[in-house]
Amino acid sequence: MGGARHGTAPPLSHRRRATGLLGGSFNPAHRAHRRITLAAIEALGLDEAWWLVSPGNPLKDGAPDMAPLSARVASARAMARRAPIRVTAIERRLGTRYTAETLEKLVRLYPDRCFIWLMGSDNLVQFHRWRDWRRIARTVPIAVIARPGYDGAAHATRAMGWLRRFVRPASQARNWTTWRPPALVLLRFRPDPGSATRLRAEDPLWFHAYHQQALRDPVTRRCID
């Protein structure tokens, strides 16, 4: 789709760092998180990605198997090791509960960065349930990463009915810094069967070791505080 229809923002200064944002519970972080993030970094030409470990996902309130934030941050740091991925629980410091609020604060706090929101097609299925989801789309571009079994449902959602007019070709993904939101690109990579649900089922007490590690690690504590 052409720029005339969507509008094109002025070219960015090279000083602004292209940064992907992947939010989630990371309960725990697993290899699929890492693989799709690295693939998105390559496809979108990102300088780095941030994993925003949520202090509490409003759509998962009361989940009995939600590990402590310290353990989830520690697991994310272990999975992100030796990759251009920064792990943070910045929402705790910002005092934000919803993604729309977080994004607006990040855009103001980091004018030297250009952000794009990364999400799997499984999240696109329920995107219309997110607080102020249209506001999210108007704040930063969005890259949706295909997940096995979710493509059909994702394309039939209420949110996609509104977003479809703003879809950009995947072949132009590296031009995302010139797109004016709303703008969405659909990315497809080799699928990874990794699943936090499966990992929790295999080891319900997975977080104990990570929690102890977090207590000893000042870097992990800084990620949270």
Side-chain angles (χ1 to χ4, degrees):
M1 298 182 182
R5 180 176 178 181
H6 298 285
T8 301
L12 293 170
S13 162
H14 291 300
R15 291 180 291 110
R16 296 185 69 187
R17 292 177 62 77
T19 306
L21 300 173
L22 181 67
S25 300
F26 295 92
N27 187 41
H30 52 79
R31 67 185 185 188
H33 290 132
R34 181 184 175 97
R35 182 172 291 179
I36 65 172
T37 301
L38 293 178
I41 288 172
E42 173 62 25
L44 297 165
L46 303 180
D47 293 301
E48 65 178 2
W50 293 3
W51 283 356
L52 307 182
V53 184
S54 173
N57 185 332
L59 295 181
K60 297 180 181 178
D61 276 349
D65 57 354
M66 186 63 67
L69 178 61
S70 58
R72 293 185 283 118
V73 168
S75 80
R77 288 197 64 238
M79 188 57 62
R81 190 173 292 128
R82 295 185 296 277
I85 299 171
R86 173 180 170 185
V87 176
T88 177
I90 195 171
E91 287 175 304
R92 178 168 171 171
R93 175 161 58 85
L94 296 177
T96 56
R97 180 168 169 80
Y98 298 100
T99 299
E101 300 169 336
T102 299
L103 290 177
E104 289 189 345
K105 287 196 174 185
L106 289 177
V107 168
R108 288 199 302 269
L109 284 170
Y110 296 96
D112 59 331
R113 291 183 179 270
C114 187
F115 292 113
I116 185 169
W117 184 253
L118 310 177
M119 60 191 277
S121 55
D122 54 328
N123 279 317
L124 183 58
V125 170
Q126 59 175 351
F127 192 46
H128 65 282
R129 296 176 55 201
W130 293 25
R131 175 76 65 90
D132 295 328
W133 60 272
R134 288 185 180 88
R135 187 169 136 209
I136 294 171
R138 291 186 177 111
T139 303
V140 297
I142 298 173
V144 176
I145 300 155
R147 292 288 305 276
Y150 288 96
D151 278 7
H155 283 273
T157 62
R158 173 184 165 192
M160 194 60 190
W162 183 79
L163 288 166
R164 189 169 287 112
R165 76 194 78 170
F166 305 114
V167 172
R168 302 299 188 92
S171 60
Q172 298 177 14
R174 282 181 168 252
N175 298 331
W176 70 269
T177 55
T178 67
W179 299 344
R180 177 172 294 142
L184 180 143
V185 62
L186 304 171
L187 303 177
R188 185 176 298 278
F189 311 125
R190 188 173 66 181
D192 189 297
S195 162
T197 301
R198 183 184 308 146
L199 291 172
R200 292 195 302 273
E202 293 172 353
D203 182 9
L205 301 179
W206 68 268
F207 56 88
H208 283 186
Y210 283 113
H211 181 61
Q212 292 303 314
Q213 174 185 327
L215 294 177
R216 299 189 301 267
D217 183 6
V219 176
T220 297
R221 292 200 300 271
R222 285 199 299 273
C223 290
I224 298 170
D225 297 332

